[in-house]
Amino acid sequence: MLAGQPTYHGALSAITASGARAVPVSMTDDGWDLDAMEAAMHQLAPDLVYLIADNRNPTGHTLPAADRKRLAHIVTGTRTRTVVDETISGIWLGQPVPPPPAAELTRRRDLDLTVGSVSKSFWGGLRIGWIRAERSVMPAAMRPSVDMGTAILEQLSAAELLVHTDELPPGRREDPAGAPNPTRGAWRNVTGAVAPETTTVV
């Protein structure tokens, strides 16, 4: 499995835990080296590529729109399935991120798997994530090595928050320390009760 170097350490741990081997593709000071990535795809024919296109952890880089088009061409040309991690796409500062890489994969949508989470955009204590992919791909993708057994209350709260995706993250970007915890409102809507004040924004 190809992965940029450096990349999110949690992803590397998950790759190792699954029995796969992460093959690093070094990044440049300006971001992604798409020439090196394309060469590695041709030479190694990896089963998967792991990519953080927005606000990359740990470098902070965001893949420009033109490079997203080229990446889609590389992925399609090499027929390489790509996992795009959008967990931190919603916490940009300054300029909004370009449309997701999946928007450029118009011919081979089966090559894109997108993963995301509400833990960064809304609240660090809400450990709810998802996989988005073509229906034909999902059986192979849905093989978690760990079942976290997320409680129903948390799942319902996440569903409530996702309805307000366009409203809540901007407030946290403008005032990360002072913005109210949006999970308290979701909790109230789901249960009719007020969440405890101890649920702090992380």
Side-chain angles (χ1 to χ4, degrees):
M1 184 171 184
L2 292 185
Q5 176 64 29
T7 195
Y8 171 49
H9 69 89
L12 296 177
S13 297
I15 292 169
T16 301
S18 72
R21 180 172 65 93
V23 177
V25 177
S26 295
M27 297 184 65
T28 68
D29 292 339
D30 297 323
W32 288 260
D33 186 342
L34 292 182
D35 289 334
M37 184 174 290
E38 182 176 16
M41 289 185 189
H42 280 294
Q43 294 170 10
L44 302 176
D47 292 329
L48 289 171
V49 172
Y50 173 74
L51 175 72
I52 304 175
D54 304 319
N55 315 310
R56 179 185 175 82
N57 183 350
T59 64
H61 288 105
T62 290
L63 189 66
D67 286 348
R68 294 173 190 236
K69 291 181 181 294
R70 186 182 172 200
L71 175 66
H73 178 76
I74 294 171
V75 167
T76 302
T78 59
R79 299 188 295 278
T80 305
R81 190 157 286 158
T82 303
V83 178
V84 180
D85 189 341
E86 294 185 344
T87 300
I88 50 180
S89 294
I91 57 172
W92 51 268
L93 296 174
Q95 294 296 320
V97 299
E104 301 294 342
L105 283 169
T106 56
R107 290 192 295 134
R108 291 295 306 270
R109 295 188 184 279
D110 60 303
L111 295 175
D112 174 77
L113 292 90
T114 301
V115 298
S117 170
V118 298
S119 64
K120 297 297 187 289
S121 297
F122 297 112
W123 182 46
L126 194 58
R127 315 301 286 185
I128 301 285
W130 58 84
I131 302 173
R132 185 170 63 245
E134 290 291 297
R135 187 179 299 273
S136 61
V137 177
M138 290 306 292
M142 294 298 293
R143 295 176 184 170
S145 59
V146 177
D147 180 5
M148 300 184 70
T150 306
I152 296 297
L153 176 59
E154 279 84 345
Q155 295 184 50
L156 292 174
S157 297
E160 176 71 21
L161 287 167
L162 289 173
V163 174
H164 304 285
T165 298
D166 294 334
E167 306 166 23
L168 297 175
R172 298 195 68 196
R173 284 194 294 268
E174 293 168 7
D175 185 10
N181 185 347
T183 308
R184 300 188 73 237
W187 190 313
R188 182 172 57 251
N189 290 342
V190 170
T191 67
V194 177
E197 291 287 351
T198 53
T199 52
T200 55
V201 175
V202 176

